[in-house]
């Protein structure tokens, strides 16, 4: 059996001990307390907005300023939703990261197209 160090007082204790015999601190991390509780709806929204903005780039027709502005707003909204979801450490962080990446790429492209 292995020995580990207490999370509170750094004394050596047995790895299966639920509390430290010296200081009484809990050793096992509560999995419910460390994971974000809630649904990943913000991360999913970010990913959907990012995908829609990237897919809109494959449209061959001419875009006016209003279309670019609207798509730019969608891409910025996807970016903001993803960043908020990542900062809140909600479930679905991988979805939020993908949404942020896609939305950031789309935002940069729409910004570049609006300058022409």
């Amino acid at each position: 059996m292995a020995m580990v160090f207490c999370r509170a007082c750094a004394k050596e204790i047995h790895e299966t001990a639920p509390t430290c015999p010296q200081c009484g601190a809990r050793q096992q991390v509560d999995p419910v307390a460390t994971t974000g509780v809630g649904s990943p709806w913000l991360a999913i929204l970010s990913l959907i907005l990012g995908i829609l903005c990237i897919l809109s780039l494959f449209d061959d027709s001419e875009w006016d300023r209003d279309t670019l502005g609207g798509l730019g707003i969608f891409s910025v909204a996807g970016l903001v939703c993803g960043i908020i979801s990542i900062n809140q450490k909600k479930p679905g962080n991988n979805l939020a990261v993908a949404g942020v990446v896609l939305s950031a790429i789309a935002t940069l492209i729409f910004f570049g197209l609006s300058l022409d």
Side-chain angles (χ1 to χ4, degrees):
M1 296 292 172
M3 300 296 280
V4 295
F5 294 100
C6 172
R7 294 175 179 262
C9 67
K11 300 282 185 182
E12 198 171 28
I13 60 172
H14 192 269
E15 69 179 352
T16 60
T19 59
C20 176
Q22 283 84 19
C23 69
R26 287 188 55 171
Q27 298 303 305
Q28 309 239 338
V29 178
D30 189 11
V32 175
T34 58
T35 59
V37 178
S39 65
W41 68 271
L42 208 55
I44 293 171
L45 179 64
S46 171
L47 183 62
I48 289 172
L49 288 173
I51 289 172
L52 288 176
C53 289
I54 291 294
L55 287 177
S56 70
L57 292 171
F58 292 103
D59 183 16
D60 291 337
S61 63
E62 287 292 322
W63 291 346
D64 57 355
R65 284 226 186 260
D66 292 337
T67 304
L68 284 173
L71 289 171
I73 289 172
F74 274 130
S75 64
V76 169
L79 193 62
V80 169
C81 288
I83 291 171
I84 290 172
S85 179
I86 292 170
N87 283 339
Q88 290 180 346
K89 296 187 180 18
K90 296 247 181 194
N93 266 350
N94 296 336
L95 297 173
V97 169
V100 165
V101 169
L102 291 174
S103 296
I105 291 170
T107 301
L108 292 174
I109 290 172
F110 292 139
F111 181 72
L113 288 174
S114 69
L115 293 178
D116 290 337

